[in-house]
Amino acid sequence: MSPELKRTMETYYDQRAPEYDDWYERRGRYRDPRTDALWAEELAKLDEWADEWGSGRVLEIACGTGRWTAHLAARPEVTEVVAVDASEAMLEECRRKVRAGAEKVRWVLADAYDLPFGPGEFDALFTGFFLSHVPPERAGRLLESYTSLLRPGGEAGLYDSLLPDGAEPVQVQRRALRDGSEYDVLKVYYTADTLRELLSRLDPGARTWDTGRFFVAGRWRRPR
Ligand SMILES: C[S@@+](CC[C@H](N)C(=O)[O-])C[C@H]1O[C@@H](n2cnc3c(N)ncnc32)[C@H](O)[C@@H]1O
């Protein structure tokens, strides 16, 4: 990925922060009466799994507007959430979103390609819909570096977009915001199989699955 594309994507998300949740809520350009109900059903599964996952000191990479931060912070088993994003506007939205357990969250403005943390600092890590913006040739090394931030045996999880039927897995998409501005965004789609192939290099016991149409999920551990 060229430095320009990386910067464009960071600017895109920074500008998109106030309208980002339109995507989750299927408002405006994201509305599709044919699939809105299925989307809500599959998203509810991600919410359910998020309610049941994570403990100790958790690193969340690219927290965005905080849908998953809120789940993590609300869990009694989680003692601290370090929520990182490259966009101050996203961190601001995230601060607003988190209610239960907000006192456990520390928000950090940082680049996910250059995280300011050391080996073994966390019990768990999570990243939602960020892997799909990482060039495929960098994904393995980046996830390896994230996994090294976990204590041995620490758990990692991710959610992302499932490859739509018949679509190219690697795309540069032209995306528009409400104000009509347009940005190029790298989007890399995974299936449960291609994600397992990637994660099993980090942990032979890695598990991946999909929700049917929209989402893919993975869990793995740092080997002891
Ligand atoms: C698709 S959003 C996902 C947000 C959130 N994790 C979620 O699942 O709703 C991608 C996020 O990655 C962040 N991001 C993009 N490039 C980044 C980088 N280099 N370092 C850290 N965060 C980055 C964006 O600001 C945005 O919040």
Side-chain angles (χ1 to χ4, degrees):
M1 177 166 61
S2 68
E4 295 84 68
L5 181 56
K6 180 173 181 287
R7 260 197 308 278
T8 302
M9 287 165 55
E10 287 164 8
T11 308
Y12 165 70
Y13 276 113
D14 196 54
Q15 296 297 310
R16 188 179 160 192
E19 59 192 85
Y20 180 77
D21 286 353
D22 288 355
W23 178 67
Y24 281 128
E25 306 304 330
R26 303 278 271 192
R27 288 188 294 253
R29 74 179 64 250
Y30 304 104
R31 235 187 120 239
D32 178 356
R34 292 165 306 170
T35 58
D36 284 350
L38 181 62
W39 171 274
E41 203 179 292
E42 294 192 17
L43 186 58
K45 286 186 197 162
L46 299 188
D47 282 328
E48 224 173 89
W49 297 326
D51 276 340
E52 293 161 3
W53 186 89
S55 60
R57 187 162 190 251
V58 184
L59 172 64
E60 188 188 2
I61 298 160
C63 61
T65 55
R67 187 180 191 99
W68 315 116
T69 324
H71 281 282
L72 287 166
R75 273 175 65 75
E77 294 84 350
V78 169
T79 53
E80 186 183 357
V81 183
V82 178
V84 175
D85 203 281
S87 157
E88 186 53 62
M90 284 290 188
L91 292 175
E92 199 44 54
E93 294 291 331
C94 188
R95 279 187 202 100
R96 266 202 286 273
K97 174 91 46 78
V98 178
R99 308 262 169 187
E103 69 287 352
K104 294 188 285 187
V105 183
R106 185 156 67 88
W107 286 273
V108 177
L109 183 69
D111 186 348
Y113 290 87
D114 187 20
L115 290 174
F117 308 113
E121 272 194 47
F122 295 93
D123 298 300
L125 74 81
F126 180 83
T127 187
F129 301 91
F130 177 67
L131 179 64
S132 56
H133 295 308
V134 174
E137 67 278 8
R138 293 183 74 174
R141 292 293 291 275
L142 194 65
L143 288 174
E144 200 178 307
S145 74
Y146 293 166
T147 307
S148 75
L149 301 176
L150 293 170
R151 63 167 168 76
E155 53 184 351
L158 69 79
Y159 290 156
D160 222 304
S161 305
L162 178 63
L163 177 70
D165 273 347
E168 279 297 316
V170 182
Q171 305 181 10
V172 176
Q173 302 176 339
R174 190 91 180 137
R175 295 195 185 173
L177 295 180
R178 277 191 212 151
D179 65 2
S181 56
E182 292 192 343
Y183 303 83
D184 282 340
V185 172
L186 173 72
K187 183 77 181 178
V188 183
Y189 290 99
Y190 289 88
T191 63
D193 284 346
T194 57
L195 185 61
R196 191 176 312 115
E197 199 184 313
L198 184 63
L199 299 182
S200 59
R201 288 184 225 147
L202 308 166
D203 168 12
R207 288 189 308 119
T208 61
W209 66 101
D210 65 58
T211 56
R213 170 91 181 255
F214 293 111
F215 308 114
V216 64
R219 289 191 187 159
W220 73 104
R221 284 182 180 273
R222 177 173 170 189
R224 286 178 197 277

